[in-house]
Amino acid sequence: MAIVQLKDICKQFDGGEANAVDHFDLTTRDGEFVVLVGPSGCGKTTTMRMIAGLEEISKGELWIGDRNVDGIPAKDRDIAMVFQSYALYPHMSVRENMAFSLKLKKRPKAEITKAVNDAAEILGIQNLLDRKPKALSGGQRQRVALGRAIVRQPQVFLMDEPLSNLDAKMRVEMRAEIVKLHRKLGVTTFYVTHDQVEAMTMGQRIVVMRDGYIQQIDAPNALYERPVNMFVAGFIGTPSMNFLKARVDDASQRLIGEGFSIAMEKAHETALANHLGREVWAGVRPEHLDLVTDANAGTTDNQLTGTVEVIEPLGAVTIVQVRVGEHIVTAELDSHTSLAMGDPAALTCDSHKLHLFDAASEKTLLETSDSGKRTTGDAKTTTA
Amino acid sequence: MAHPNKQRSKQAAARLRSAALIGPAAVYLFIWMIVPLAMTVYYSFRRYNLIEPYIKGNAGFSNYANIITDPNFIAGIINTLILVVSCLVLTVMIGLAFAIVYNNDHVVGKNLLRTFAASPFFIMPVVTGLLWKNLMLNPSFGLLAALQRALGISPIAFLSKVPLASVIGIISWQWTPFAMLVLLASLSAIPEDIKEAAYLDGAGAWQTFRYIVLPQLGRSLYAVIMLETIFFLVIFGQIYVATSGGPGNASTNLPYYIYLQAFSSYDIGAASAGAVFAIILANIVAIFLVRMISANIREDS
Ligand SMILES: Nc1ncnc2c1ncn2[C@@H]1O[C@H](COP(=O)(O)OP(=O)(O)OP(=O)(O)O)[C@@H](O)[C@H]1O
Ligand SMILES: [Mg+2]
């Protein structure tokens, strides 16, 4: 177990103009489960490969425990990686796959056997030990890949989209299993995914990346409640947050746009002090929108009115898309709404849950949590 | 089953259909293989010399007896075995080395180099023999002679001093590209992430090769060995041109010996007996190889 420090790490590929990873700065806690998430091509895999030692670091320093691992080859970094493709050795049995690293270290036979059996038991694959990878299902292969990583008892686990080749049900199952495994072993883990649900459910801290840059590093809830910019706000949460271009009306202290008018909170007033009379982005999550009915009509003066364009009943909830002025607003409503396509609809939202972003920079205008800032200095002193 | 008769007639039809499909191939095989084979065996028991075609009759085992006691024949068999084994070892080892080099992304201009490295394979055997005999190995104006002179050594007449080794060299030169191409194809089919996984597991370059790459080359290695063995057993053109089997019988292999019996001594009977031996030898090797390969493939799946 170890603290991993990535100090201002950059990666530029030969021939690539922009940095694939740009000033990546992160210090993990001991035994932390860190999830890297972001759209395709944002540099998640590259970051992992640099930690693993499969890719050279162009600039910056990488510390694992109390060692600067610059120049230390991958095999001496004491890390284990689980590949997206599993990368099992096809000509070896499951047992041999798992024993390979220990065999190379010339550990005594009895110790190897014990380590493999223990790992197999943790993962429930004792009955598969003599099979070749070809004779395994995707989920079983994934377990073997995990097993190969845990027999080594490394200081750090790296997992690059380990579940992306599994079906939805298997994915949920393995997700829970990996979390359990992490709790049991307490090994510092980096986990890459582009699935924000996976990130939210598994990560103790989540690193949201885009185009090689870190957007925000935060705990799942903080990320959901206090996104630092529109990208993070839109990326975390399904369905995505709605963004409305709104004018800050000085006289009425309201956010106004075509088809909607929302009252400002106290907290918003300070945030918007410099934006009076100008345009901002107002962000509201679909789950924080409600239908205005006769029952609650008097209780709210936040109104978004328009016509219903799409209705998607999901059983537990119904997703409705309403055209409000030039915007399409997605709302997550009760499953028994009586709305039909083309109906006029009025939505209401809770001003407390409103997000505000600068129109130009797309950065949040609200307060962010300390850990949400790009520097993570506070994490260094904390241990889990 | 309710309609056993129907079932049976269906099976019969299926059998008929497969017979019809296999038929042409079987006939073809019969005409092109069984008939010549039978004639070879037949002539090996006949007295039949082209110089004295009027002397005919049953020879019994005398043709066999004659060639077995012929020191040239024994030399031919030994030379054949030496040739096959050394060429196999050389082509596979050098071919593998080249394949590894050309599979590496860091080699500059590897596509061009690979084309050059593959080119000997596309030269005809007779041309190969001529090329080496005159351009490379000729002791007075060959390339190697010039090299040796540049190094201050008096040129060696390779083809007369070390004839068998020279032939082995020529054939390995021609066939190394074959091994290289086949092995390169299967090397590049090994996924990169498996090698990376091995690297992270602590395997060095040699260990990765030994435990990860080599086992996955298994099938193509066996394919190369089998095909090359078959071709090396029947090497003729290069020997005919470069050394004519000489000096003496120093570079005479079995096919060349059979050729000499047939077209130099005009003894069809003895040549046929030699050919029967060649067939037996090839079959022993083939059975041995097929066993090895099928065992290997069974283990794989
Ligand atoms: N070997 C390479 N040479 C040049 N550019 C590369 C190389 N590997 C990756 N890149 C570039 O670096 C950027 C980051 O790639 P990376 O593989 O880290 O993305 P990712 O976040 O893992 O995406 P995905 O979710 O699709 O796996 C991409 O723009 C990619 O094109
Ligand atoms: Mg990736």
Side-chain angles (χ1 to χ4, degrees):
Chain A
M1 274 142 279
I3 292 173
V4 180
Q5 299 180 62
L6 296 105
K7 296 184 175 172
D8 223 22
I9 283 177
C10 298
K11 173 71 192 182
Q12 184 162 29
F13 286 106
D14 302 339
E17 307 136 34
N19 281 347
V21 173
D22 212 322
H23 297 285
F24 195 108
D25 203 274
L26 170 69
T27 303
T28 69
R29 301 186 188 101
D30 195 6
E32 192 175 21
F33 197 106
V34 178
V35 173
L36 306 186
V37 68
S40 195
C42 69
K44 307 179 295 284
T45 299
T46 308
T47 307
M48 294 285 256
R49 290 173 59 85
M50 285 193 287
I51 301 173
L54 294 171
E55 207 79 72
E56 250 173 69
I57 296 171
S58 307
K59 228 177 84 197
E61 277 179 19
L62 175 63
W63 290 66
I64 297 177
D66 46 14
R67 286 195 304 171
N68 181 348
V69 296
D70 183 33
I72 295 180
K75 61 174 180 165
D76 299 325
R77 290 189 182 187
D78 206 8
I79 43 120
M81 185 152 169
V82 178
F83 290 76
Q84 176 175 353
S85 55
Y86 316 133
L88 298 177
Y89 311 127
H91 57 289
M92 295 186 194
S93 67
V94 169
R95 190 191 303 281
E96 290 165 330
N97 260 283
M98 287 166 67
F100 187 60
S101 60
L102 299 180
K103 226 182 242 169
L104 289 174
K105 282 190 196 141
K106 304 219 160 58
R107 291 283 166 74
K109 269 233 168 65
E111 186 193 323
I112 297 178
T113 312
K114 185 171 174 336
V116 170
N117 288 342
D118 288 352
E121 197 185 319
I122 292 176
L123 295 161
I125 51 172
Q126 300 101 311
N127 53 337
L128 307 176
L129 284 175
D130 294 313
R131 291 208 205 158
K132 293 267 172 74
K134 221 188 289 173
L136 300 176
S137 73
Q140 290 169 333
R141 283 180 207 184
Q142 191 53 65
R143 273 167 226 262
V144 176
L146 282 171
R148 194 170 64 180
I150 65 179
V151 288
R152 294 176 45 191
Q153 306 189 321
Q155 294 205 45
V156 180
F157 277 135
L158 303 174
M159 305 189 187
D160 191 356
E161 308 202 28
L163 307 185
S164 60
N165 290 341
L166 303 181
D167 67 37
K169 185 158 167 283
M170 199 69 216
R171 201 143 55 190
V172 174
E173 234 169 76
M174 286 301 294
R175 201 159 80 192
E177 212 151 310
I178 290 176
V179 170
K180 250 191 282 170
L181 196 67
H182 172 256
R183 229 178 270 144
K184 191 164 186 170
L185 303 174
V187 177
T188 310
T189 304
F190 283 86
Y191 186 100
V192 163
T193 177
H194 57 246
D195 178 355
Q196 54 99 8
V197 177
E198 230 169 70
M200 295 291 279
T201 50
M202 298 177 83
Q204 292 175 338
R205 265 198 305 170
I206 299 173
V207 181
V208 183
M209 297 180 70
R210 176 201 198 181
D211 296 341
Y213 289 99
I214 295 181
Q215 302 289 304
Q216 184 168 1
I217 304 176
D218 231 324
N221 280 334
L223 217 51
Y224 177 81
E225 283 160 15
R226 292 182 293 279
V228 297
N229 60 25
M230 283 173 68
F231 174 78
V232 176
F235 194 79
I236 301 294
T238 39
S240 292
M241 186 186 279
N242 298 297
F243 297 109
L244 302 157
K245 201 107 193 216
R247 196 169 48 77
V248 186
D249 191 65
D250 197 5
S252 63
Q253 294 286 302
R254 296 182 75 84
L255 292 158
I256 297 172
E258 194 188 335
F260 67 93
S261 162
I262 301 168
M264 273 162 40
E265 289 284 315
K266 273 270 173 308
H268 298 162
E269 282 169 29
T270 42
L272 294 174
N274 296 329
H275 291 76
L276 294 178
R278 288 163 49 193
E279 291 207 308
V280 294
W281 284 106
V284 57
R285 294 195 182 276
E287 53 271 39
H288 297 148
L289 284 166
D290 237 328
L291 203 60
V292 179
T293 57
D294 297 339
N296 64 4
T299 63
T300 174
D301 61 347
N302 295 336
Q303 288 255 2
L304 299 86
T305 51
T307 47
V308 177
E309 293 214 328
V310 178
I311 298 175
E312 295 173 332
L314 297 182
V317 292
T318 296
I319 309 291
V320 178
Q321 294 188 3
V322 180
R323 174 168 288 282
V324 177
E326 61 188 306
H327 306 289
I328 298 283
V329 173
T330 307
E332 195 177 298
L333 305 176
D334 274 353
S335 54
H336 27 261
T337 44
S338 53
L339 286 174
M341 229 106 78
D343 280 359
L347 297 168
T348 178
C349 71
D350 189 347
S351 308
H352 292 294
K353 304 257 169 91
L354 202 64
H355 298 264
L356 295 168
F357 303 95
D358 187 274
S361 70
E362 305 196 341
K363 288 201 179 107
T364 186
L365 297 169
L366 305 177
E367 299 239 325
T368 53
S369 54
D370 273 353
S371 55
K373 301 213 180 96
R374 282 215 33 196
T375 51
T376 51
D378 64 323
K380 270 173 207 158
T381 47
T382 343
T383 42
Chain B
M1 269 286 132
H3 304 286
N5 280 337
K6 220 176 189 177
Q7 189 87 16
R8 209 168 298 148
S9 70
K10 227 184 214 170
Q11 277 175 7
R15 222 173 288 143
L16 200 69
R17 193 164 55 234
S18 46
L21 289 172
I22 295 168
V27 170
Y28 176 88
L29 270 179
F30 182 79
I31 294 171
W32 292 107
M33 289 187 66
I34 307 295
V35 170
L37 181 66
M39 286 177 68
T40 306
V41 173
Y42 170 74
Y43 282 125
S44 71
F45 290 105
R46 302 289 297 174
R47 273 179 224 288
Y48 186 15
N49 194 310
L50 294 176
I51 294 174
E52 307 156 308
Y54 41 84
I55 302 177
K56 284 185 187 159
N58 201 334
F61 282 92
S62 69
N63 284 330
Y64 289 94
N66 285 343
I67 65 164
I68 282 181
T69 52
D70 181 355
N72 288 338
F73 174 74
I74 307 299
I77 291 214
I78 292 170
N79 286 341
T80 304
L81 291 177
I82 293 175
L83 187 88
V84 169
V85 173
S86 355
C87 288
L88 272 181
V89 172
L90 283 174
T91 53
V92 169
M93 302 246 287
I94 302 173
L96 185 57
F98 270 112
I100 290 168
V101 170
Y102 291 135
N103 191 43
N104 190 327
D105 284 335
H106 302 298
V107 176
V108 188
K110 63 173 184 170
N111 284 341
L112 190 69
L113 288 173
R114 198 167 48 197
T115 312
F116 277 129
S119 56
F121 190 53
F122 304 108
I123 300 174
M124 279 177 285
V126 175
V127 178
T128 305
L130 282 173
L131 202 75
W132 278 86
K133 184 181 182 181
N134 297 323
L135 288 179
M136 304 296 288
L137 300 178
N138 188 295
S140 32
F141 48 82
L143 191 64
L144 287 188
L147 265 176
Q148 286 167 341
R149 265 193 291 270
L151 292 173
I153 315 165
S154 61
I156 304 164
F158 287 98
L159 289 175
S160 48
K161 285 277 154 27
V162 279
L164 189 60
S166 302
V167 169
I168 289 169
I170 294 170
I171 289 161
S172 299
W173 176 82
Q174 180 152 44
W175 279 86
T176 295
F178 173 75
M180 180 195 82
L181 290 174
V182 176
L183 294 175
L184 185 59
S186 74
L187 264 185
S188 56
I190 298 175
E192 199 59 34
D193 56 4
I194 287 177
K195 287 184 254 173
E196 285 178 350
Y199 178 54
L200 291 182
D201 266 348
W206 165 249
Q207 285 163 323
T208 306
F209 177 74
R210 168 71 190 78
Y211 296 114
I212 307 297
V213 175
L214 203 54
Q216 296 190 64
L217 287 184
R219 271 184 209 213
S220 36
L221 268 179
Y222 282 115
V224 167
I225 290 173
M226 180 163 82
L227 287 170
E228 286 195 346
T229 305
I230 291 165
F231 285 107
F232 291 163
L233 278 171
V234 297
I235 288 289
F236 178 78
Q238 294 95 330
I239 293 177
Y240 178 80
V241 172
T243 66
S244 304
N249 56 20
S251 60
T252 300
N253 67 347
L254 203 46
Y256 198 79
Y257 174 83
I258 294 166
Y259 160 78
L260 286 180
Q261 289 301 321
F263 296 105
S264 164
S265 316
Y266 299 110
D267 189 344
I268 301 299
S272 299
V276 171
F277 273 113
I279 291 163
I280 291 168
L281 182 68
N283 273 291
I284 290 171
V285 173
I287 288 169
F288 176 66
L289 280 172
V290 167
R291 279 264 170 90
M292 221 160 70
I293 289 160
S294 63
N296 173 258
I297 286 173
R298 217 175 302 132
E299 193 190 314
D300 255 19
S301 54

